[in-house]
Amino acid sequence: GGVFREILRISQKTRKDRQLPYFRALPWYFLTITLSLTTTFNVRGALLNTFPQTAVFYNSFGLIAFSLYMFGFVGFVMSLRQGMYRYQFAQFTWMAMTLIFIVVQGSLQVTNMMRGMIWFLLPVSCVVHNDIWAYGWGRSFGRTSLLKLSPKKTVEGFVGAWLFTMIWAFWFAGFLAKFPQLTCPKADFVSPMSCEPSALFEFAPVSLPSWVAAATGGYIDVIEVCPVQYHALVLGAFASLLAPFGGFFASGLKRAHKIKDFGDLIPGHGGMTDRMDCQIMTGFFTYVYLESFVFGSLTIPGTGPACPATAVGVLACANALAPQAREELLKLLGGAAVGV
C-alpha cells in the first residue's frame, strides 16, 4: 500500500484531484481487490486444506475476479468528466501499470513464504547485504563510475558487493536449513510447523580442494553442505548482479520526474519504494526460480492447472477437485496401494 501510494503520487495533481473526489477513490478500490484476489489465490492450497468449504469460492474464482474488475472499470467510465479526460486516462494507465509491476509481483512473496520462510528470508537478506557491501566497498575503494544514471555507484562497489553477497547467501542458507520451522511448507493454517526433512536441507560432507587444507594446516578439509546452499548462490547472484537494476530504474524514474525520493517515511532513506525496488524484483525471480528448478510441477489429467510435484501440492490439487472426482481419486489410490 505504501509503495502504491508513493508511485501514484508522482503523477497526481492536487488541484485536479480535488475536482474528482469519486475518481480519487478508484485506485484504492483496485488496490484492495488486487491484493485480496492475489493473496487468496496464492494461499489457495492452505485455505482448501483448512477450510474445504472454500472450494465453492475457488470454483468461481475467475468469475468473481472478473466481476470485481468490471465493476471498477464501469466506475471509472462513469467518473469521466469533461475537460479532465486526458488526466483521468493518464492516471488510470499509471495505476494499472503500478498494480501489474508492483502489487502483482509483490504478491508472489506470499507463495514463496508458503513454501517455507527460508524462501522469503534468504532473498530479502541477500538484497540487504548487497546494499550494505556496495556502500562499504564503494566508499572505501570506489574509483570507477558504474552508471551515469547513478553517479555514486561504482564498479568496485558493485563487484565487492557481489562477492560478499555470494558468501553470505551460501552461509545463511546453511544456517536457516537447520531450523525446520523455517524450511517446512505451510500445508494449512492449523497444523504446527513441522515436517519430514526434505532432501534440500539434508547436510552431507564435501571435500575441499587440497590447497584449502594446506592453507589451513589441515584444519579444514571437509565441510557439511546441503543442496539448498547451491540454490542460494543463484539467488545471491541475482540479488547482487541483476536486482540492483531495479534500483537504477527507480533512480531514472525519479530523475524523469525531478524528485529526490519517493517519500519521506524513513529519514535519510526516502520512502517505501526507495527501499523495496530491488526486493520486488528479487521476490519475483525467487518465485520463478523455485517454480522452474526447485519444486517443479506436474499436470494431473483432467484437473487443468499444474500441481506442484510435492505431497503438499498434490494434496492441494486433490482438495480442489469436485467431490465425485475426489472419490474416484481415492479409489484409484486404494487400488494402487493394493497393487503395491
Side-chain angles (χ1 to χ4, degrees):
V3 175
F4 183 75
R5 176 178 175 274
E6 289 174 355
I7 294 180
L8 282 189
R9 196 169 58 179
I10 293 175
S11 62
Q12 285 178 336
K13 302 289 186 289
T14 304
R15 181 179 59 81
K16 291 184 178 181
D17 279 352
R18 286 174 179 169
Q19 302 175 50
L20 302 165
Y22 172 65
F23 177 74
R24 290 169 61 187
L26 276 176
W28 298 102
Y29 169 79
F30 279 105
L31 174 65
T32 301
I33 64 172
T34 302
L35 282 175
S36 301
L37 292 171
T38 53
T39 301
T40 52
F41 182 78
N42 288 329
V43 301
R44 63 193 182 279
L47 270 179
L48 285 166
N49 290 338
T50 309
F51 308 105
Q53 58 270 28
T54 56
V56 177
F57 166 75
Y58 283 108
N59 288 338
S60 306
F61 186 85
L63 178 61
I64 293 171
F66 179 79
S67 301
L68 289 172
Y69 280 108
M70 276 305 300
F71 180 78
F73 178 74
V74 171
F76 166 71
V77 174
M78 295 292 289
S79 74
L80 290 173
R81 184 171 174 178
Q82 190 172 6
M84 296 283 191
Y85 294 156
R86 183 183 294 272
Y87 175 72
Q88 287 183 273
F89 274 101
Q91 286 296 98
F92 187 81
T93 304
W94 191 262
M95 176 202 69
M97 296 301 290
T98 304
L99 288 173
I100 293 171
F101 285 102
I102 303 298
V103 179
V104 174
Q105 286 192 39
S107 71
L108 297 177
Q109 290 278 30
V110 177
T111 302
N112 295 342
M113 287 188 281
M114 296 298 290
R115 286 171 164 165
M117 283 301 295
I118 186 174
W119 302 115
F120 172 76
L121 296 174
L122 178 60
V124 165
S125 72
C126 286
V127 172
V128 173
H129 266 262
N130 189 71
D131 284 346
I132 294 172
W133 287 111
Y135 176 80
W137 275 73
R139 290 277 292 182
S140 303
F141 309 105
R143 298 291 183 274
T144 311
S145 178
L146 177 66
L147 206 64
K148 290 184 178 180
L149 193 62
S150 297
K152 293 182 179 180
K153 302 294 191 298
T154 63
V155 173
E156 292 81 3
F158 190 78
V159 173
W162 164 73
L163 175 63
F164 279 88
T165 300
M166 295 291 281
I167 295 172
W168 165 262
F170 187 80
W171 176 83
F172 194 51
F175 174 76
L176 295 177
K178 298 175 182 178
F179 300 92
Q181 300 90 337
L182 301 177
T183 60
C184 290
K186 194 63 178 168
D188 55 52
F189 293 112
V190 293
S191 59
M193 292 294 290
S194 60
C195 60
E196 289 293 323
S198 167
L200 276 173
F201 310 108
E202 292 183 355
F203 287 86
V206 174
S207 298
L208 296 176
S210 57
W211 63 266
V212 175
T216 59
Y219 183 72
I220 302 176
D221 57 353
V222 175
I223 59 172
E224 294 282 324
V225 177
C226 60
V228 72
Q229 290 177 276
Y230 300 119
H231 294 298
L233 291 176
V234 178
L235 299 180
F238 182 89
S240 55
L241 297 178
L242 295 178
F245 284 86
F248 302 150
F249 177 89
S251 296
L253 184 62
K254 287 187 286 188
R255 289 179 180 274
H257 290 273
K258 296 179 173 60
I259 58 176
K260 183 178 184 298
D261 295 311
F262 286 102
D264 53 7
L265 179 66
I266 311 170
H269 292 275
M272 285 288 292
T273 310
D274 296 283
R275 295 296 91 202
M276 296 299 294
D277 44 17
C278 300
Q279 294 285 7
I280 292 172
M281 287 191 65
T282 305
F284 186 30
F285 172 76
T286 301
Y287 172 83
V288 173
Y289 181 78
L290 295 179
E291 280 285 306
S292 303
F293 300 107
V294 179
F295 292 99
S297 63
L298 57 89
T299 301
I300 299 177
T303 63
C307 300
T310 63
V312 173
V314 173
L315 179 60
C317 289
N319 283 330
L321 295 172
Q324 184 177 356
R326 258 181 283 176
E327 291 180 7
E328 293 177 3
L329 179 61
L330 287 172
K331 291 178 182 177
L332 291 172
L333 290 173
V338 171
V340 172

